[in-house]
Amino acid sequence: MITAHNDSWLGQVPAGAKFLVLLLVSIGLYLIPSWRVLAAALVVAVLLMLSARVPLRSLRLPLITLVIIVGLVFVVMGLQTDWNQAAVAALRLLTLCLCAYTVSLTTTFDQMLELFQRIVAPLRHVGANPAQIALGLALAIRFIPELKRIYLEVREAQHARGLGNNPLAVSVPLVIRALRVADETAEALDARGYDSVEAGQQARTRPQRHA
């Protein structure tokens, strides 16, 4: 989940700094063995989300799903190990997910693309194109909600036909439509000459090298 715009204080923080802090927080959470400290960290994560003016309406379904998953993890671990370790694992997972939601919902798509491009910039020395790699990663993130939308549309259509319980009736149209969207995206990039930009620059620099 990436926001289109966020004018809170956290939205003004550079994307690289936010993701670095998120990485450090994730490491720190797994170094804390006390469920009481983790519970306090969860409260801090909730306050951070509220202070960043994250649109809670868009998080309603993900939060419900997250609570269900964390609840199942808590019960299974509690029955298999002990309830203290289960509470520690559940609080870690919940706190980390809330922090990740907050970071992603205060980071625009352009900021994410720019961050990816800076991360993969060293690959330029081995012949890779950082801009293309960053665009591929950004498109992968962009298509997650798009694939979810397509899945819901296909499932609703197949339910109307009485085929909702047939996995093939849902998976086959889903794959076909996903491939169609990917093909349309590739055609749009090709029509804008995205791949030919770097080739053109190389062609223009070759005469200068011989000169």
Side-chain angles (χ1 to χ4, degrees), residues 29 32 34-47 91 95:
L29 288 175
I32 299 175
S34 172
W35 69 266
R36 293 179 177 85
V37 177
L38 290 170
L42 177 61
V43 173
V44 173
V46 173
L47 294 176
L91 288 170
T95 304

Side-chain angles (χ1 to χ4, degrees), residues 70-86:
V70 172
L72 291 175
V73 171
F74 175 73
V75 172
V76 171
M77 288 196 63
L79 294 175
Q80 292 181 348
T81 57
D82 64 80
W83 296 105
N84 184 68
Q85 293 184 10

Side-chain angles (χ1 to χ4, degrees), residues 42 46 49 59-76 86 89-91 93-98 101:
L42 177 61
V46 173
M49 177 179 291
L59 277 176
R60 182 174 56 185
L61 183 58
L63 286 178
I64 293 175
T65 305
L66 176 62
V67 170
I68 293 174
I69 294 175
V70 172
L72 291 175
V73 171
F74 175 73
V75 172
V76 171
L91 288 170
L93 182 59
L94 191 57
T95 304
L96 182 57
C97 288
L98 289 181
Y101 284 157

